[in-house]
Amino acid sequence: MLLPPSYAAGLTAYTEELPPLNYLQGQQVSGFASDLLTAMASKAGLALRLQLLPWSRAYATVQTTPDTMLFSTVRTPERENQFRWVGPIGKRHIYLYRLSKREDIRLTDIRQLGQWRIGTIFASASQKQLEQLGLRPGIEQDNAPDDASNLAKLSMGRVDMVAMLDWAMHWQLRQSGMPDQQIRPVALLDGQAQYWFALNWQTPDATIRQLQNALDALARNGELKRLRQKYIGTEDFPGELADFGAQLRQDGPLLLRDSDKPSAPCPEPGLGSGWRHRHRAGPEGICPLKPGY
């Protein structure tokens, strides 16, 4: 969003192409977080420019450049002292989703994950988390470049479940034209973190207060909820689902044992593909189907 010369001074906010949080629509940066930040700046009386950049470049720019901010950013202990913070603006929920017709998949314990093939994005937080549990890429995990690919694999039966952020699933279903009723969450994989606006560490206290007060006002008058429903849908956690993040926090680090995985070799080597080839990790070797089929 370009501003007239009279607004040249002010904040420059950097983000990446990450629909539905932020994306380029025509010549304007739109999305849940972008629209929310624009409304906050307007209410606070602050000039604002929005710019899309690759995430690593945006991150480095905001660390070293006054009057800049980065969004949408997960606030972690490692990042705490690198920025100043305004928020939170939304929860970060990663669910495991299955097709609604796959009623055979019912999860109550994280140790059950070794029985299934799960679609994840390569090098994502979910992929790394599942790998730390002992789920191997190409065997119990099927890595893809993006969420759209994982949803396609799920719909075709090439994976049993996919790990995906709730707002990403909402967006992908809308883009693909699939009815919401065809997909359902079966477990919460990670629900601790929240999204924030991260500002350069030299940002004045007055600017932080103005933006936080504006965000709080938008939450009170219902605008925050309206934007969330428009772009993301509900962020309420279905309480009847297993919370694997809570299980890990309670039990500590966990590595799935071989006994938690199917113990028989593939019963149909070379015949077809998809969820029937569930038996991959037994003592007689790996299913001969190519990983990532």
Side-chain angles (χ1 to χ4, degrees), residues 150-172:
N150 274 326
L151 181 58
K153 289 181 180 182
L154 183 66
S155 66
M156 292 185 291
R158 291 171 58 178
V159 295
D160 302 299
M161 293 176 280
V162 295
M164 198 178 299
L165 289 154
D166 52 354
W167 51 260
M169 178 59 80
H170 178 80
W171 175 263
Q172 293 299 334

Side-chain angles (χ1 to χ4, degrees), residues 207-223:
T207 301
I208 299 295
R209 283 196 302 270
Q210 286 174 286
L211 288 170
Q212 188 66 58
N213 289 341
L215 175 60
D216 294 343
L218 293 171
R220 287 194 300 270
N221 68 19
E223 180 65 9

Side-chain angles (χ1 to χ4, degrees), residues 112-171:
Q112 294 174 272
L113 294 184
Q115 304 173 31
W116 310 102
R117 190 169 176 87
I118 301 172
T120 58
I121 294 178
F122 177 74
S124 67
S126 301
Q127 188 258 312
K128 294 174 183 177
Q129 180 179 0
L130 292 176
E131 191 169 3
Q132 289 172 353
L133 290 172
L135 304 184
R136 297 161 293 180
I139 304 176
E140 294 89 16
Q141 283 196 66
D142 187 310
N143 300 150
D146 51 47
D147 287 323
S149 299
N150 274 326
L151 181 58
K153 289 181 180 182
L154 183 66
S155 66
M156 292 185 291
R158 291 171 58 178
V159 295
D160 302 299
M161 293 176 280
V162 295
M164 198 178 299
L165 289 154
D166 52 354
W167 51 260
M169 178 59 80
H170 178 80
W171 175 263

Side-chain angles (χ1 to χ4, degrees), residues 41-68:
S42 176
K43 183 172 283 291
L46 296 172
L48 176 70
R49 290 189 305 162
L50 302 180
Q51 184 174 345
L52 290 175
L53 284 180
W55 184 255
S56 58
R57 182 179 168 192
Y59 195 100
T61 298
V62 174
Q63 283 185 305
T64 58
T65 309
D67 301 320
T68 60

Side-chain angles (χ1 to χ4, degrees), residues 2 4 6 12 55 79 84-85 146 150 160 229:
L2 300 178
S6 58
T12 299
W55 184 255
R79 295 172 174 171
R84 304 202 66 185
W85 301 91
D146 51 47
N150 274 326
D160 302 299
Q229 288 288 353

Side-chain angles (χ1 to χ4, degrees), residues 113-285:
L113 294 184
Q115 304 173 31
W116 310 102
R117 190 169 176 87
I118 301 172
T120 58
I121 294 178
F122 177 74
S124 67
S126 301
Q127 188 258 312
K128 294 174 183 177
Q129 180 179 0
L130 292 176
E131 191 169 3
Q132 289 172 353
L133 290 172
L135 304 184
R136 297 161 293 180
I139 304 176
E140 294 89 16
Q141 283 196 66
D142 187 310
N143 300 150
D146 51 47
D147 287 323
S149 299
N150 274 326
L151 181 58
K153 289 181 180 182
L154 183 66
S155 66
M156 292 185 291
R158 291 171 58 178
V159 295
D160 302 299
M161 293 176 280
V162 295
M164 198 178 299
L165 289 154
D166 52 354
W167 51 260
M169 178 59 80
H170 178 80
W171 175 263
Q172 293 299 334
L173 288 173
R174 189 165 67 177
Q175 296 302 300
S176 68
M178 287 183 63
D180 293 354
Q181 295 79 7
Q182 290 187 14
I183 304 291
R184 65 168 299 167
V186 285
L188 179 65
L189 187 60
D190 187 351
Q192 279 291 97
Q194 299 193 79
Y195 290 104
W196 294 67
F197 295 111
L199 291 87
N200 177 267
W201 64 276
Q202 297 183 67
T203 304
D205 291 346
T207 301
I208 299 295
R209 283 196 302 270
Q210 286 174 286
L211 288 170
Q212 188 66 58
N213 289 341
L215 175 60
D216 294 343
L218 293 171
R220 287 194 300 270
N221 68 19
E223 180 65 9
L224 176 60
K225 183 177 181 179
R226 186 192 70 79
L227 287 173
R228 184 176 290 126
Q229 288 288 353
K230 175 182 177 181
Y231 286 107
I232 301 177
T234 182
E235 66 171 6
D236 295 333
F237 170 55
E240 71 277 9
L241 298 185
D243 184 345
F244 289 161
Q247 182 182 345
L248 288 174
R249 291 191 297 276
Q250 177 177 330
D251 298 344
L254 174 68
L255 180 65
L256 297 186
R257 301 163 299 180
D258 287 341
S259 60
D260 295 320
K261 304 171 185 177
S263 58
C266 174
E268 301 177 90
L271 300 178
S273 62
W275 62 269
R276 293 191 309 277
H277 291 265
R278 190 173 303 156
H279 304 290
R280 290 183 167 82
E284 297 182 38

